[in-house]
Amino acid sequence: MQIDVLGAVRARRDDGGPVDLGGPRHREVLARLVAAEGRMVSTDTLVDDLWADPPARAVGALRTFVAALRRALEPDRAPRTPPRVLVTEGTGYALRLPREEVDVHRFEDALARARRHPEAVTGLGAALAAWRGPAYADLPDAAWAGRERTRLEELRLEAVELRARILLDSGEGADLVAGLGAHVAEHPWREPAWALLARALHRAGRRADALATLRRARAMLVDQLGLDPGAELSKLETDILTGSAAAASTSWTGPGIRLGPRTTVDLARTLALAGGDALIHSRRDRLAAIRAAERTGDLSLTARIIGAYDVPALWSRADDPEQSRAVVAAAERTLTALGPGAPADLRARLLATVAVESRSADLSGTEPDRAREAARQAEALARDLADPALLAFALNGVFLQSFTRPGLAATRDRTGREILDLATRHGLPHFAVLGRLIRLQSASALGDLDAATAHADAADHLAATTEAPLVPVLTAWFRARATAARGTEPGGPSAATAAARYRAAEDALRTAGMPGLHRGLFPLALLGLRLLHDRPAPTDPHLDWGPYRPWARPLVLLAQDRTEEARTALTVLPAPPHDHMQEALWCLAAHAAARLGDIETAARAVAALRPAAAEHAGAAGGMLTLGPVARYLSEATA
């Protein structure tokens, strides 16, 4: 069995004969499972991916598609014998095929091998030749397929350039001129591609054409794209002019990726805005680009690579703490090496990166004062430089470092207002989205649901025009939070309605590529909903409380009538981390202390919560609510 998705989706038998997969929905189910790379895809996710507005019998239809695909893929399977290719796993389905039997997996593996071992370039050429058109070409309207197409197309372009670089490094490549010329014409923003074309022309004995290509690259980058050419192009031009042998060799050395870091990090920045698997890949590629830049020893290049990933960040808990620590460490190393005399824009971007990546909840190894000071320094430098985009990035760091204590929603709203104003006046659409979401969160924290709803509507409108699919995921959570709050009003929605909206929002978030946000959020939302209606905590053992478990545990134990265990759990409760949920967690501690008569814990909670008396617990993230902080403050005070 061979399955191909690099082009239209198809399956072939070992003899090359086609497998009849059925209709478009059947092919889309198979393709979605291919994209999961052997991981289980839940039934709910498949339904959401197949239908923008799922019909009433969507799950039944999905099962019909799966049954038909199983018959097509394993026609000789005996009755009542479990399938071996398209298997049921947990709450969904998974595709079990060796990677070499799926063209996209063969391609990705060939690219990975060539990155590590240049001698594998022949296999990379064969994998590139297998492309029959855009990936998932017959699924043009599927949102998940669009994200995969974007990711795979960028990998294909990287593979084209990596293959050319390896061949040129090995002394070959004079025959690459035509292919690289077409590649550059189609993708003029890919700076390494211009260098590769110039090197191929030089290798073919066309020195004048090589120099003309570099001049054309400079004009294209500066005049049309507003980018300064990097060190690689400038050095190559000098080497060709002087007849240096270096003109025939790559500018990047050492193991790992051979694609220029500038292009890699630009790609990572673009993919980060797509969410889902693309977001996960973007974080990986960003770190690879930073490490490649550090290996060159070019401090200015390294600083620009680190600072180029100015992706707006909203949540105060890092999705990948280890990776964030690595980025912060690289930024700090580069700052130290550059010294105080470094260009102000480079210092500002590095400092802003430290502030943004030092998320207080997950980077306990980072000195909090250092991160806050980095945010202040980045802001001051950006204001002096009068660079709106840089100032918006620096203010993003200021925002993420503004969770030092409860009660700062109004302060964050001022930051969000300035980011939104900058973005609106200077055409920075993704930071406009960030500004709207910060203001949504602040209004939510202050209990102003009408203002928060207006910001949510505006953010959704911006997301539709900027292709930011993560935004509706976040605003769906806010709308569930608003439903929960309004359920406490006379004639308001029922608790069941609010719970259903939380569940729908949770299903969308599960595949959004933001584990730092996702883990534990849904159980905490359910707990808040129960507290709003004076009901005990949920006790379902399958709930994953994630990082919120220590603060929920005393209330869960109380709901199970395990009072002494609850008392013990409360006595060892740590102070909440300084993030979006700190007011909520202090309120849980206050509520449990009031129930158990723990005066010491109650006093700590009162001292922490007093500045937030006018805010709503848990609402600072705009995604859930436990109700007014004043309620819990009153309980603990009494």
Side-chain angles (χ1 to χ4, degrees):
M1 177 69 62
Q2 297 283 326
I3 293 179
D4 301 329
V5 298
L6 299 179
V9 178
R10 69 182 185 184
R12 295 172 292 139
R13 295 188 295 272
D14 284 344
D15 61 6
V19 174
D20 183 4
L21 295 174
R25 294 293 191 196
H26 298 75
R27 292 197 304 277
E28 185 170 357
V29 171
L30 180 63
R32 181 63 184 85
L33 294 175
V34 166
E37 297 190 82
R39 298 186 301 273
M40 183 273 287
V41 183
S42 71
T43 297
D44 289 347
T45 298
L46 285 168
V47 167
D48 288 342
D49 284 345
L50 260 66
W51 290 281
D53 184 16
R57 297 182 178 178
V59 173
L62 173 63
R63 289 172 179 157
T64 301
F65 300 152
V66 168
L69 283 170
R70 283 170 169 166
R71 289 192 296 270
L73 297 174
E74 296 184 74
D76 300 326
R77 179 167 57 90
R80 293 182 294 280
T81 301
R84 293 178 295 111
V85 177
L86 203 171
V87 303
T88 301
E89 184 177 293
T91 60
Y93 303 100
L95 194 65
R96 295 283 184 260
L97 276 177
R99 290 182 66 82
E100 61 271 16
E101 295 186 9
V102 182
D103 65 348
V104 66
H105 299 161
R106 287 198 304 274
F107 165 71
E108 290 181 294
D109 292 347
L111 177 56
R113 282 193 296 272
R115 283 168 172 160
R116 296 190 303 269
H117 307 293
E119 61 273 15
V121 68
T122 301
L124 181 59
L128 280 166
W131 281 68
R132 297 170 290 110
Y136 306 102
D138 50 346
L139 303 175
D141 300 323
W144 70 265
R147 292 192 296 270
E148 275 295 287
R149 255 192 305 277
T150 298
R151 182 180 74 84
L152 290 170
E153 176 61 13
E154 292 294 344
L155 289 180
R156 186 186 70 81
L157 298 178
E158 177 188 340
V160 168
E161 291 165 10
L162 177 60
R163 176 176 176 269
R165 191 180 296 277
I166 291 172
L167 290 173
L168 287 165
D169 287 352
S170 66
E172 303 177 37
D175 58 346
L176 294 172
V177 170
L180 286 172
H183 178 70
V184 163
E186 189 174 357
H187 307 285
W189 63 89
R190 298 182 72 86
E191 187 174 337
W194 288 98
L196 290 167
L197 175 58
R199 288 180 59 202
L201 287 163
H202 184 57
R203 177 64 50 77
R206 297 166 58 182
R207 181 169 175 265
D209 288 339
L211 291 170
T213 292
L214 292 172
R215 285 192 291 272
R216 201 154 48 94
R218 185 183 303 279
M220 176 71 72
L221 292 168
V222 174
D223 298 339
Q224 297 188 29
L225 302 180
L227 299 173
D228 292 327
E232 183 180 14
L233 287 184
S234 299
K235 183 177 184 302
L236 180 58
E237 185 173 16
T238 301
D239 290 340
I240 292 176
L241 283 168
T242 60
S244 169
S249 64
T250 180
S251 297
W252 312 119
T253 59
I257 67 166
R258 295 292 187 104
L259 183 64
R262 284 166 61 98
T263 299
T264 301
V265 83
D266 286 344
L267 160 62
R269 183 186 183 282
T270 300
L271 291 180
L273 301 168
D277 290 342
L279 176 57
I280 295 170
H281 286 293
S282 88
R283 289 194 288 260
R284 178 204 64 197
D285 292 343
R286 174 209 189 175
L287 191 55
I290 290 172
R291 287 170 173 162
E294 284 195 293
R295 286 196 297 269
T296 69
D298 185 332
L299 290 174
S300 177
L301 172 67
T302 302
R304 293 190 183 282
I305 293 304
I306 293 172
Y309 193 86
D310 54 351
V311 177
L314 183 71
W315 193 246
S316 55
R317 183 177 293 278
D319 289 310
D320 189 334
E322 182 178 351
Q323 189 175 85
S324 291
R325 277 189 285 271
V327 172
V328 169
E332 293 284 25
R333 283 194 301 271
T334 307
L335 275 167
T336 300
L338 284 170
D345 65 319
L346 293 189
R347 290 185 60 227
R349 286 193 172 275
L350 290 169
L351 288 163
T353 299
V354 170
V356 169
E357 293 298 328
S358 297
R359 313 291 178 84
S360 56
D362 280 327
L363 294 186
S364 56
T366 300
E367 181 61 43
D369 290 343
R370 166 57 182 159
R372 289 193 290 274
E373 180 59 26
R376 287 192 289 267
Q377 291 177 1
E379 179 189 2
L381 287 168
R383 290 192 190 281
D384 287 344
L385 290 166
D387 183 331
L390 182 53
L391 179 56
F393 183 35
L395 288 172
N396 196 174
V398 169
F399 161 71
L400 288 168
Q401 293 302 321
S402 65
F403 293 86
T404 53
R405 62 168 176 82
L408 292 173
T411 299
R412 289 192 287 275
D413 190 57
R414 288 193 293 272
T415 301
R417 186 184 295 115
E418 182 172 6
I419 291 174
L420 181 58
D421 179 60
L422 279 169
T424 302
R425 284 191 291 113
H426 298 284
L428 306 170
H430 294 295
F431 278 100
V433 172
L434 174 67
R436 285 292 183 188
L437 292 176
I438 291 174
R439 300 209 66 194
L440 180 159
Q441 290 182 344
S442 305
S444 170
L446 294 168
D448 189 344
L449 294 182
D450 290 339
T453 299
H455 289 305
D457 292 343
D460 284 337
H461 178 73
L462 282 169
T465 59
T466 59
E467 298 183 2
L470 294 179
V471 172
V473 174
L474 302 177
T475 55
W477 271 93
F478 164 71
R479 297 182 200 286
R481 169 261 185 274
T483 301
R486 289 180 170 128
T488 62
E489 302 168 356
S494 68
T497 299
R501 293 202 172 182
Y502 275 137
R503 170 61 76 182
E506 150 75 0
D507 289 343
L509 182 59
R510 186 183 298 115
T511 57
M514 296 184 288
L517 173 58
H518 174 244
R519 283 204 65 216
L521 193 65
F522 179 61
L524 191 61
L526 291 185
L527 173 55
L529 185 60
R530 284 174 173 263
L531 292 174
L532 286 174
H533 293 273
D534 297 316
R535 296 181 60 194
T539 57
D540 183 347
H542 297 103
L543 288 175
D544 176 12
W545 291 95
Y548 312 119
R549 177 179 174 79
W551 293 272
R553 181 167 170 73
L555 294 176
V556 172
L557 291 168
L558 279 172
Q560 298 170 328
D561 294 324
R562 296 159 65 182
T563 304
E564 289 309 311
E565 291 177 71
R567 197 181 309 280
T568 300
L570 187 60
T571 59
V572 298
L573 200 62
H578 295 161
D579 65 9
H580 281 81
M581 290 301 173
Q582 59 184 321
E583 289 91 353
L585 303 185
W586 273 121
C587 286
L588 295 182
H591 186 60
R595 293 277 307 277
L596 291 164
D598 184 332
I599 294 176
E600 182 180 347
T601 301
R604 290 169 60 213
V606 166
L609 287 171
R610 193 173 285 121
E615 297 186 11
H616 285 236
M623 305 180 82
L624 58 88
T625 183
L626 279 61
V629 169
R631 165 192 169 183
Y632 300 94
L633 192 55
S634 176
E635 286 181 347
T637 301

